[in-house]
Amino acid sequence: LVISREPAKGGNPEAAGRALADAFAAGWFGLAQLDHALRQFIARVNLLSRVAPELEIPRFDGTALRRTMTRAFHGLTLMKEAQATDLRPAFSAHLDPAQRGFLDELLPPTLRWMDGKTVKLTYAEVADEASDEAPSGPEASVRLTECFSLREHPRIAEGRLAVQLILLAPDQKRLATTPDFPAWRLKSYPTMRAPLRAKFASFPWP
């Protein structure tokens, strides 16, 4: 017969955090705090570790993710506490200040665009295992009409990665994706010019 229950006191806070991290890894509960921004941070870190190995950026592999979750859940004992905690400090602590500076410089979350604008960069979220395929740059959705003044295709990571431009029509529908806009303009755009002129006559189609 159970008369009453209360949480255990005086336990090991690191062990408690590790238990919650293991429970999350096993799929016992979800984390709304592990949002798009944090997943993009993980993707950027893992990509930078591949394209700039000389920086010795530690990857977010399975072990590192579990260690990060253990750090985030330090001293917590309840699932609802884990689900309410702010995960960002624990993930940020995966890198030292210098490494975070390199991340923001080489793989930024946004790209400078025309007329002082910025466009959002979306990095591919891939499995933590190393891939034999060459790393690819992030995607950026831009209107085709804003690209005609480009003389060089945008690149990041000191020129090591080309941004994958998702070219949009004026109605925001996707027209094409290219890692080399000048080449795309020469080879593919001429076949699209007439239909675009007919459909969007108020826009320039050089």
Side-chain angles (χ1 to χ4, degrees):
L1 178 64
V2 177
I3 304 301
S4 64
R5 292 179 179 177
E6 63 180 30
K9 298 179 180 179
N12 186 322
E14 183 176 354
R18 188 181 306 113
L20 283 169
D22 289 344
F24 171 73
W28 291 2
F29 63 92
L31 287 172
Q33 301 278 22
L34 190 58
D35 56 12
H36 176 75
L38 271 183
R39 295 196 303 271
Q40 282 291 285
F41 179 76
I42 294 170
R44 290 165 61 214
V45 168
N46 288 347
L47 181 59
L48 186 58
S49 74
R50 295 187 64 196
V51 300
E54 71 279 4
L55 298 178
E56 299 182 348
I57 301 295
R59 286 180 56 80
F60 269 114
D61 57 14
T63 300
L65 283 170
R66 189 162 298 191
R67 185 170 56 246
T68 299
M69 290 299 187
T70 298
R71 184 188 303 121
F73 301 151
H74 184 86
L76 305 182
T77 58
L78 301 177
M79 182 181 68
K80 64 181 181 181
E81 293 176 326
Q83 291 175 316
T85 195
D86 184 2
L87 302 176
R88 290 172 297 179
F91 275 85
S92 180
H94 180 72
L95 303 180
D96 63 36
Q99 291 170 332
R100 289 195 294 271
F102 284 126
L103 180 67
D104 289 337
E105 177 184 353
L106 299 178
L107 299 183
T110 59
L111 177 71
R112 291 182 183 177
W113 199 241
M114 311 296 178
D115 302 325
K117 298 178 182 178
T118 60
V119 294
K120 180 181 177 181
L121 294 177
T122 301
Y123 293 80
E125 298 176 21
V126 297
D128 58 60
E129 291 84 3
S131 172
D132 293 332
E133 297 182 4
S136 60
E139 294 182 340
S141 297
V142 293
R143 291 180 180 175
L144 174 57
T145 52
E146 297 178 350
C147 297
F148 291 125
S149 60
L150 285 177
R151 296 294 175 262
E152 296 182 354
H153 192 89
R155 303 183 70 87
I156 59 173
E158 297 180 334
R160 304 181 201 191
L161 292 174
V163 175
Q164 304 288 325
L165 291 182
I166 300 175
L167 306 174
L168 305 177
D171 60 2
Q172 300 297 311
K173 291 184 179 179
R174 182 184 297 213
L175 297 171
T177 300
T178 178
D180 187 342
F181 179 76
W184 180 88
R185 182 174 180 179
L186 286 174
K187 296 178 181 179
S188 301
Y189 174 62
T191 63
M192 304 174 69
R193 183 188 294 117
L196 288 170
R197 280 179 172 173
K199 187 172 183 179
F200 305 104
S202 61
F203 291 85
W205 304 104

mmCIF file of all heavy atoms in Angstrom, residues 33 35 38 71-73 76 81-91:
data_model
loop_
_atom_site.group_PDB
_atom_site.id
_atom_site.type_symbol
_atom_site.label_atom_id
_atom_site.label_comp_id
_atom_site.label_asym_id
_atom_site.label_seq_id
_atom_site.Cartn_x
_atom_site.Cartn_y
_atom_site.Cartn_z
ATOM 1 N N GLN A 33 11.828 22.509 -27.820
ATOM 2 C CA GLN A 33 12.943 23.457 -27.777
ATOM 3 C C GLN A 33 14.040 23.102 -28.783
ATOM 4 O O GLN A 33 14.848 23.954 -29.140
ATOM 5 C CB GLN A 33 13.554 23.484 -26.359
ATOM 6 C CG GLN A 33 12.592 23.884 -25.262
ATOM 7 C CD GLN A 33 12.426 25.394 -25.157
ATOM 8 O OE1 GLN A 33 12.685 26.115 -26.104
ATOM 9 N NE2 GLN A 33 12.000 25.860 -24.016
ATOM 10 N N ASP A 35 14.382 23.147 -31.812
ATOM 11 C CA ASP A 35 13.654 23.719 -32.942
ATOM 12 C C ASP A 35 14.537 23.850 -34.179
ATOM 13 O O ASP A 35 15.686 23.392 -34.218
ATOM 14 C CB ASP A 35 13.070 25.075 -32.545
ATOM 15 C CG ASP A 35 14.144 26.046 -32.045
ATOM 16 O OD1 ASP A 35 15.360 25.771 -32.210
ATOM 17 O OD2 ASP A 35 13.776 27.088 -31.480
ATOM 18 N N LEU A 38 18.042 25.491 -33.670
ATOM 19 C CA LEU A 38 19.047 24.615 -33.072
ATOM 20 C C LEU A 38 19.485 23.522 -34.048
ATOM 21 O O LEU A 38 20.669 23.175 -34.104
ATOM 22 C CB LEU A 38 18.519 23.979 -31.789
ATOM 23 C CG LEU A 38 18.742 24.768 -30.494
ATOM 24 C CD1 LEU A 38 18.237 23.968 -29.298
ATOM 25 C CD2 LEU A 38 20.208 25.113 -30.306
ATOM 26 N N ARG A 71 24.248 17.904 -20.327
ATOM 27 C CA ARG A 71 24.601 19.224 -19.791
ATOM 28 C C ARG A 71 23.349 20.084 -19.638
ATOM 29 O O ARG A 71 23.173 20.778 -18.627
ATOM 30 C CB ARG A 71 25.607 19.907 -20.716
ATOM 31 C CG ARG A 71 26.125 21.253 -20.217
ATOM 32 C CD ARG A 71 26.969 21.952 -21.272
ATOM 33 N NE ARG A 71 28.091 21.126 -21.696
ATOM 34 C CZ ARG A 71 28.310 20.722 -22.947
ATOM 35 N NH1 ARG A 71 27.456 21.056 -23.907
ATOM 36 N NH2 ARG A 71 29.350 19.993 -23.239
ATOM 37 N N ALA A 72 22.467 20.032 -20.628
ATOM 38 C CA ALA A 72 21.256 20.854 -20.584
ATOM 39 C C ALA A 72 20.321 20.419 -19.463
ATOM 40 O O ALA A 72 19.656 21.256 -18.838
ATOM 41 C CB ALA A 72 20.524 20.776 -21.928
ATOM 42 N N PHE A 73 20.267 19.108 -19.195
ATOM 43 C CA PHE A 73 19.338 18.575 -18.198
ATOM 44 C C PHE A 73 19.982 18.396 -16.824
ATOM 45 O O PHE A 73 19.383 17.755 -15.953
ATOM 46 C CB PHE A 73 18.796 17.224 -18.663
ATOM 47 C CG PHE A 73 18.066 17.266 -19.985
ATOM 48 C CD1 PHE A 73 18.036 16.153 -20.815
ATOM 49 C CD2 PHE A 73 17.415 18.426 -20.398
ATOM 50 C CE1 PHE A 73 17.366 16.190 -22.019
ATOM 51 C CE2 PHE A 73 16.740 18.469 -21.610
ATOM 52 C CZ PHE A 73 16.717 17.351 -22.420
ATOM 53 N N LEU A 76 18.061 18.046 -13.392
ATOM 54 C CA LEU A 76 16.624 17.873 -13.593
ATOM 55 C C LEU A 76 16.244 16.412 -13.378
ATOM 56 O O LEU A 76 17.047 15.506 -13.629
ATOM 57 C CB LEU A 76 16.220 18.312 -15.001
ATOM 58 C CG LEU A 76 16.613 19.738 -15.412
ATOM 59 C CD1 LEU A 76 16.108 20.038 -16.820
ATOM 60 C CD2 LEU A 76 16.081 20.752 -14.417
ATOM 61 N N GLU A 81 10.291 19.003 -16.870
ATOM 62 C CA GLU A 81 11.362 19.975 -16.659
ATOM 63 C C GLU A 81 12.301 19.998 -17.860
ATOM 64 O O GLU A 81 12.732 21.066 -18.309
ATOM 65 C CB GLU A 81 12.153 19.630 -15.397
ATOM 66 C CG GLU A 81 11.369 19.771 -14.101
ATOM 67 C CD GLU A 81 12.170 19.331 -12.898
ATOM 68 O OE1 GLU A 81 12.984 18.377 -13.023
ATOM 69 O OE2 GLU A 81 11.992 19.921 -11.822
ATOM 70 N N ALA A 82 12.621 18.813 -18.380
ATOM 71 C CA ALA A 82 13.491 18.731 -19.553
ATOM 72 C C ALA A 82 12.848 19.414 -20.757
ATOM 73 O O ALA A 82 13.510 20.118 -21.523
ATOM 74 C CB ALA A 82 13.802 17.274 -19.870
ATOM 75 N N GLN A 83 11.539 19.217 -20.918
ATOM 76 C CA GLN A 83 10.847 19.796 -22.059
ATOM 77 C C GLN A 83 10.736 21.316 -21.968
ATOM 78 O O GLN A 83 10.561 21.985 -22.984
ATOM 79 C CB GLN A 83 9.455 19.183 -22.184
ATOM 80 C CG GLN A 83 9.481 17.715 -22.590
ATOM 81 C CD GLN A 83 8.112 17.090 -22.604
ATOM 82 O OE1 GLN A 83 7.305 17.298 -21.692
ATOM 83 N NE2 GLN A 83 7.819 16.303 -23.637
ATOM 84 N N ALA A 84 10.862 21.868 -20.767
ATOM 85 C CA ALA A 84 10.730 23.316 -20.581
ATOM 86 C C ALA A 84 12.076 24.029 -20.580
ATOM 87 O O ALA A 84 12.116 25.258 -20.659
ATOM 88 C CB ALA A 84 9.996 23.614 -19.274
ATOM 89 N N THR A 85 13.171 23.284 -20.490
ATOM 90 C CA THR A 85 14.470 23.937 -20.331
ATOM 91 C C THR A 85 14.961 24.547 -21.637
ATOM 92 O O THR A 85 14.647 24.066 -22.736
ATOM 93 C CB THR A 85 15.514 22.927 -19.804
ATOM 94 O OG1 THR A 85 16.654 23.627 -19.336
ATOM 95 C CG2 THR A 85 15.945 21.957 -20.893
ATOM 96 N N ASP A 86 15.739 25.607 -21.532
ATOM 97 C CA ASP A 86 16.334 26.275 -22.688
ATOM 98 C C ASP A 86 17.591 25.508 -23.088
ATOM 99 O O ASP A 86 18.552 25.427 -22.325
ATOM 100 C CB ASP A 86 16.674 27.721 -22.335
ATOM 101 C CG ASP A 86 17.209 28.518 -23.518
ATOM 102 O OD1 ASP A 86 17.290 27.960 -24.634
ATOM 103 O OD2 ASP A 86 17.560 29.703 -23.325
ATOM 104 N N LEU A 87 17.586 24.939 -24.283
ATOM 105 C CA LEU A 87 18.700 24.108 -24.731
ATOM 106 C C LEU A 87 19.847 24.906 -25.331
ATOM 107 O O LEU A 87 20.959 24.383 -25.487
ATOM 108 C CB LEU A 87 18.212 23.096 -25.781
ATOM 109 C CG LEU A 87 17.100 22.143 -25.352
ATOM 110 C CD1 LEU A 87 16.679 21.289 -26.541
ATOM 111 C CD2 LEU A 87 17.547 21.271 -24.195
ATOM 112 N N ARG A 88 19.608 26.164 -25.663
ATOM 113 C CA ARG A 88 20.600 26.923 -26.419
ATOM 114 C C ARG A 88 21.940 27.081 -25.710
ATOM 115 O O ARG A 88 22.993 26.916 -26.349
ATOM 116 C CB ARG A 88 20.026 28.304 -26.782
ATOM 117 C CG ARG A 88 18.913 28.240 -27.822
ATOM 118 C CD ARG A 88 18.246 29.579 -28.020
ATOM 119 N NE ARG A 88 17.582 30.018 -26.785
ATOM 120 C CZ ARG A 88 16.938 31.170 -26.659
ATOM 121 N NH1 ARG A 88 16.892 32.017 -27.690
ATOM 122 N NH2 ARG A 88 16.344 31.480 -25.523
ATOM 123 N N PRO A 89 21.981 27.385 -24.396
ATOM 124 C CA PRO A 89 23.299 27.515 -23.749
ATOM 125 C C PRO A 89 24.118 26.232 -23.808
ATOM 126 O O PRO A 89 25.339 26.276 -24.022
ATOM 127 C CB PRO A 89 22.933 27.884 -22.304
ATOM 128 C CG PRO A 89 21.588 28.523 -22.393
ATOM 129 C CD PRO A 89 20.890 27.773 -23.478
ATOM 130 N N ALA A 90 23.475 25.082 -23.634
ATOM 131 C CA ALA A 90 24.203 23.813 -23.667
ATOM 132 C C ALA A 90 24.765 23.536 -25.055
ATOM 133 O O ALA A 90 25.894 23.055 -25.196
ATOM 134 C CB ALA A 90 23.289 22.667 -23.220
ATOM 135 N N PHE A 91 23.997 23.840 -26.095
ATOM 136 C CA PHE A 91 24.491 23.623 -27.452
ATOM 137 C C PHE A 91 25.594 24.620 -27.798
ATOM 138 O O PHE A 91 26.580 24.262 -28.452
ATOM 139 C CB PHE A 91 23.343 23.717 -28.457
ATOM 140 C CG PHE A 91 22.595 22.432 -28.618
ATOM 141 C CD1 PHE A 91 21.565 22.095 -27.744
ATOM 142 C CD2 PHE A 91 22.921 21.537 -29.618
ATOM 143 C CE1 PHE A 91 20.881 20.899 -27.873
ATOM 144 C CE2 PHE A 91 22.235 20.338 -29.760
ATOM 145 C CZ PHE A 91 21.215 20.021 -28.884
#
